[in-house]
Amino acid sequence: MKWQSLLIIFLLSCMLPARAFDAQIEMVNFDPQDQSKIFKAIKAIKKVMASDEFKKRIIEHTFQGEKKFLDNKGHTNEEVFQKILEGSEELYPVKNGQMDIELELIESESKTVGYTYPDTKRIWINRIFFDSFHTADIANNLFHEWLHKLGYDHASDYSVERNSSVPYAIGSIMGELARVYDDKND
Ligand SMILES: [Zn+2]
């Protein structure tokens, strides 16, 4: 192949748009109505991921006067954003730009909205909350739990500071913007 052809291929590949963020979700104990709530939340998450605003809010996030998150694993805001774009879960470390998760809906009297463990792909969601949640709340919760899958954690006890941890802070940003984009486009 002539070098000119290689150059053209290289230039064309630079012009291709970046692949949109995606989600691969398995659901256990979800009836069709529950599933459609998840699909709507995923659609909202994709819209937010494609927005400049989401990136900006993450890059400019401050904690105690500094541009950073609490419990950031030593990552800068830019690095946290990059981790999100890559979508490389600790248990499935492939940079595929995708949320790879399993969800199980459970009936529980506990006050926990959702939880997961480091050794599983699965995220358990409490139906008590899920039933009353709107799309933006579900987007917030899914993103929060998925950030755990990327390796970010937070204190188990409530504190104001905890709201600045990667899962809480970015889950909230996701929920807030999901509400805006969801209202705007559907
Ligand atoms: Zn959490």
Side-chain angles (χ1 to χ4, degrees):
M1 198 184 283
K2 285 184 187 158
W3 70 268
Q4 287 95 334
S5 324
L6 284 171
L7 180 66
I8 288 169
I9 290 170
F10 172 74
L11 289 174
L12 282 175
S13 67
C14 293
M15 285 159 65
L16 289 173
R19 198 166 68 91
F21 187 78
D22 210 347
Q24 175 67 47
I25 306 212
E26 284 168 45
M27 290 183 251
V28 178
N29 284 342
F30 282 75
D31 66 29
Q33 206 186 335
D34 301 326
Q35 286 182 12
S36 89
K37 287 179 86 168
I38 294 292
F39 293 138
K40 278 187 187 164
I42 294 299
K43 202 173 151 196
I45 287 174
K46 287 185 187 179
K47 282 182 197 165
V48 173
M49 283 294 297
S51 73
D52 292 332
E53 183 66 14
F54 184 60
K55 178 178 182 179
K56 193 168 163 252
R57 291 283 298 273
I58 291 175
I59 304 294
E60 291 179 0
H61 184 272
T62 58
F63 171 60
Q64 294 180 340
E66 280 182 67
K67 273 198 181 177
K68 65 173 188 181
F69 290 93
L70 176 65
D71 300 320
N72 57 15
K73 300 209 304 175
H75 297 159
T76 63
N77 291 0
E78 284 79 4
E79 286 166 341
V80 171
F81 182 69
Q82 188 57 31
K83 289 277 286 179
I84 290 171
L85 283 187
E86 288 170 358
S88 172
E89 293 86 3
E90 299 225 301
L91 293 177
Y92 183 56
V94 181
K95 293 179 182 176
N96 57 2
Q98 188 167 291
M99 286 175 95
D100 295 286
I101 48 176
E102 269 177 30
L103 302 174
E104 182 177 348
L105 210 47
I106 50 156
E107 313 267 343
S108 166
E109 296 295 316
S110 92
K111 291 197 165 60
T112 308
V113 176
Y115 59 92
T116 186
Y117 303 105
D119 63 349
T120 175
K121 220 178 144 177
R122 188 164 292 192
I123 291 164
W124 286 267
I125 302 178
N126 191 343
R127 178 178 280 288
I128 309 275
F129 293 94
F130 186 78
D131 283 350
S132 65
F133 272 6
H134 294 289
T135 303
D137 307 310
I138 297 171
N140 174 338
N141 182 235
L142 284 184
F143 219 72
H144 174 116
E145 298 300 334
W146 181 61
L147 288 162
H148 284 304
K149 304 286 94 186
L150 296 187
Y152 296 103
D153 214 346
H154 56 73
S156 51
D157 292 331
Y158 172 78
S159 68
V160 175
E161 288 75 38
R162 191 178 73 167
N163 289 337
S164 288
S165 64
V166 169
Y168 274 102
I170 300 182
S172 294
I173 296 170
M174 173 54 74
E176 205 182 301
L177 296 181
R179 192 163 284 121
V180 174
Y181 287 91
D182 203 41
D183 289 348
K184 220 189 276 179
N185 296 308
D186 299 307

